[in-house]
Amino acid sequence: SKDIMMVFQSFDQLFPWYTVLGNLTYAMKKAGLFRTLAERKECARSYLSMAGLSGFENAYPHALSGGMKQRVGIARAYTANPEILLMDEPCSAIDPTSVSKVEDLMAELAPEMTIIIVTHSMQQAARISDYTAFFLQEVAGEPATLIEYGQTDAIFTSPVDSRTEDYITGRFG
């Protein structure tokens, strides 16, 4: 469904045989957006600009840094104008400067859609989330259990469950 789009943790989410611009216009075509290639290109360029990637539209994915690939992936998902954007560890394998750029892009998109981020970085959750859910996986292979959910400020300043506090303070995890 184009109501929900996903940005994966891995950088192989982009088609290597398409340029950056081609990755976005292909996604728009598959989603049935815009009738002409010219319209798709115009829209894609605006999304690339928003993602801080103007000037890279003719680059191929192999020539981009990990952070740039993540921002292309986010821009591509955004082209479908989803209600919900799911992101799996969007910053786990990129440098701090790229993390900042990806977080800035997420903040820019947040007023327009719900963004759900799976992250092990409590610092990132504290910086960018309105609400935080803390899950614990007791045994490998078993489903995770929801331990606590609430407004991010409350979770980080006065967690209800001692396991949440232990994780936040680094006593385990």
Side-chain angles (χ1 to χ4, degrees):
S1 167
K2 65 181 182 181
D3 294 335
I4 300 174
M5 294 299 292
M6 176 82 185
V7 177
F8 296 94
Q9 175 179 356
S10 67
F11 300 138
D12 59 1
Q13 62 187 314
L14 302 177
F15 298 115
W17 53 87
Y18 286 135
T19 63
V20 168
L21 187 65
N23 266 277
L24 270 66
T25 57
Y26 177 79
M28 285 186 247
K29 182 178 181 178
K30 288 309 242 182
L33 302 171
F34 305 107
R35 292 181 15 198
T36 68
L37 178 59
E39 290 172 319
R40 290 191 295 272
K41 282 183 176 182
E42 181 180 339
C43 183
R45 285 186 181 103
S46 71
Y47 293 146
L48 290 173
S49 176
M50 178 182 59
L53 294 167
S54 294
F56 290 93
E57 64 187 41
N58 293 319
Y60 285 87
H62 72 272
L64 304 177
S65 71
M68 293 168 87
K69 290 177 187 177
Q70 280 300 81
R71 288 184 283 147
V72 172
I74 294 167
R76 188 176 68 184
Y78 183 65
T79 63
N81 193 26
E83 291 180 32
I84 299 171
L85 181 60
L86 299 174
M87 301 179 78
D88 179 23
E89 293 282 358
C91 300
S92 67
I94 57 179
D95 63 272
T97 301
S98 294
V99 168
S100 177
K101 289 178 180 178
V102 168
E103 288 179 358
D104 288 348
L105 179 57
M106 288 188 278
E108 189 172 333
L109 298 176
E112 299 176 33
M113 67 184 69
T114 299
I115 300 176
I116 300 171
I117 302 166
V118 175
T119 182
H120 289 90
S121 171
M122 297 305 281
Q123 297 84 3
Q124 184 176 56
R127 281 192 307 270
I128 64 172
S129 300
D130 295 325
Y131 291 89
T132 297
F134 176 64
F135 290 84
L136 186 61
Q137 190 166 355
E138 301 283 343
V139 179
E142 293 296 317
T145 302
L146 176 63
I147 302 300
E148 192 165 350
Y149 170 79
Q151 291 187 329
T152 297
D153 290 344
I155 294 286
F156 282 89
T157 58
S158 34
V160 174
D161 193 288
S162 63
R163 294 171 292 182
T164 305
E165 184 172 356
D166 288 347
Y167 190 79
I168 290 169
T169 59
R171 288 188 277 246
F172 84 86

